[in-house]
Amino acid sequence: MATARKHPDGAASAGATIYSVAERAGVSIATVSRVLQGAGTVSSTTAQKVLDAVDQLNYVPLGAARSLAVRHHEAHGLVLPELTGPYYSELLMGFESRAAELGQSVTLMLTDGKADLARAVRQLATRVDAIAVLGSAAMPPAVARALHGQKPVVIIAGTPQEGIESVRAENAHSAEQLTEHVLAHGRTRLVFVGDPEGAPDIAERHAGFVAAHRARGLEPAAPVRVPFREGEGEAVAERILAGEIEADALVCANDELALAIMSHLQDAGRDVPGEIAVVGWDDVMTSRYVRPGLTTVRQPVHELGVIAAERLHQRVSGALPRLEPQILRTEVVIRGSCGCPTR
């Protein structure tokens, strides 16, 4: 059941209750409970009335309040798009390892395939004391308003929102450095591979790519907009081999794309970096062992997870939210795929 909670400045706020939601929707409290728990026994029309009332009243059930009252271990939610690829597993390991050290349990929610993210996050909020969300898609403004002041939230690598903590890695400056390094090799037809609209951090990397070109008085090519998965990298390589994409260097949004493209081009007999340079982002372990080694940007993915878990614990324990985003340093790592001598 919801209770009045205190804002960080100490002022009490009158929280909506399950009773007020039921009254607004014109249903019983049992129906409200079934809808919020995702039970399939409620008609879609009735469920929508309940969810509309929840939105209008900014109601967030404090399902974990009992654990706080009896000083039981904390339960924290972590919302990720999926678990494929090294980035998500590294972030999860960082979050889970720090949570375990602090005596927290972790409830993982994957957003891929969920039609109503706001509802899914709201349901998760009934089962945990605090939530960390990767990116911004699972934390739309309506959900952010509902959670604000009632459940601690940390956004990882997403667009900061008023009143919600965020932690992310620096992107634009390192992307500009990386692109400038490739341009300094004499490459003239660089292409950015990845969709800047897919995530805020990718948009910042593309912005750095653009800035490096304009600093030299050059107009950057349009990006090749693809999701950030290994299979998409192979498809891009096929387009290069077919002559659909003309480039002498590829600046990829992550290492998965870069490694897949490089491997596929090499299998087809193309010289990397002789004919085409390929650089990435993340510095996953494989980047060090391929030949040539992948020039990339190292970002502290594991540390992002650690900090998110730590901040949730501190907030649940009474700490005030940080007003400014926490931005972690990234570093360009030079190997051989850009055209530098192999180190």
Side-chain angles (χ1 to χ4, degrees):
M1 151 178 183
T3 59
R5 297 292 300 272
K6 289 185 179 294
H7 287 297
D9 62 6
S13 66
T17 68
I18 193 170
Y19 299 99
S20 56
V21 171
E23 182 179 0
R24 174 68 65 91
V27 299
S28 67
I29 60 171
T31 298
V32 174
S33 179
R34 285 196 292 272
V35 170
L36 295 179
Q37 291 172 15
T41 56
V42 181
S43 72
S44 59
T45 301
T46 300
Q48 191 58 53
K49 288 181 181 178
V50 171
L51 295 175
D52 289 344
V54 166
D55 286 338
Q56 292 161 10
L57 296 173
N58 282 342
Y59 172 64
V60 178
L62 302 182
R66 189 182 66 83
S67 71
L68 292 174
V70 299
R71 301 296 181 190
H72 197 262
H73 77 278
E74 299 164 25
H76 291 176
L78 176 61
V79 181
L80 301 177
E82 57 185 349
L83 283 179
T84 59
Y87 179 93
Y88 299 118
S89 59
E90 188 73 11
L91 182 73
L92 175 59
M93 284 190 291
F95 188 90
E96 199 281 330
S97 63
R98 186 58 180 145
E101 292 171 358
L102 295 169
Q104 307 161 1
S105 62
V106 176
T107 299
L108 178 65
M109 187 185 90
L110 304 181
T111 63
D112 217 17
K114 287 185 170 56
D116 191 341
L117 291 181
R119 179 180 178 186
V121 172
R122 200 189 310 280
Q123 289 175 348
L124 177 64
T126 70
R127 308 193 302 273
V128 298
D129 301 294
I131 299 177
V133 179
L134 179 65
S136 307
M139 189 55 62
V143 178
R145 287 195 301 271
L147 292 174
H148 180 51
Q150 302 199 43
K151 290 282 175 83
V153 176
V154 170
I155 295 177
I156 306 170
T159 303
Q161 297 191 35
E162 184 178 357
I164 297 182
E165 282 198 51
S166 66
V167 56
R168 59 187 176 89
E170 191 282 321
N171 289 284
H173 179 64
S174 288
E176 184 174 358
Q177 285 185 313
L178 178 65
T179 305
E180 169 55 33
H181 178 82
V182 176
L183 288 167
H185 275 288
R187 309 285 173 159
T188 59
R189 292 173 288 124
L190 279 63
V191 171
F192 184 88
V193 182
D195 188 355
E197 296 180 1
D201 50 355
I202 308 302
E204 291 175 352
R205 291 169 203 172
H206 181 252
F209 175 86
V210 171
H213 279 79
R214 294 194 171 150
R216 285 176 167 248
L218 303 173
E219 187 62 27
V224 175
R225 299 177 183 272
V226 294
F228 321 122
R229 295 190 179 96
E230 179 184 348
E232 298 296 335
E234 294 177 356
V236 169
E238 285 293 338
R239 293 172 63 188
I240 293 170
L241 294 170
E244 295 178 25
I245 298 173
E246 294 185 2
D248 60 8
L250 303 175
V251 178
C252 300
N254 68 5
D255 285 350
E256 278 188 83
L257 287 170
L259 291 167
I261 290 171
M262 188 166 74
S263 174
H264 205 71
L265 291 176
Q266 289 173 324
D267 288 346
R270 300 291 289 272
D271 181 1
V272 178
E275 296 179 61
I276 184 167
V278 180
V279 299
W281 191 287
D282 284 333
D283 194 28
V284 301
M285 185 174 65
T286 309
S287 302
R288 300 164 225 168
Y289 299 110
V290 295
R291 290 293 178 268
L294 183 66
T295 292
T296 184
V297 174
R298 180 178 297 142
Q299 70 163 328
V301 180
H302 187 274
E303 189 178 353
L304 286 171
V306 168
I307 290 174
E310 198 163 75
R311 283 303 299 161
L312 290 184
H313 172 69
Q314 292 168 354
R315 290 291 314 285
V316 170
S317 301
L320 296 176
R322 295 178 185 267
L323 298 179
E324 296 297 324
Q326 195 167 356
I327 304 174
L328 306 187
R329 179 175 174 269
T330 54
E331 175 188 4
V332 176
V333 179
I334 304 299
R335 297 193 179 100
S337 68
C338 59
C340 283
T342 301
R343 300 187 178 188

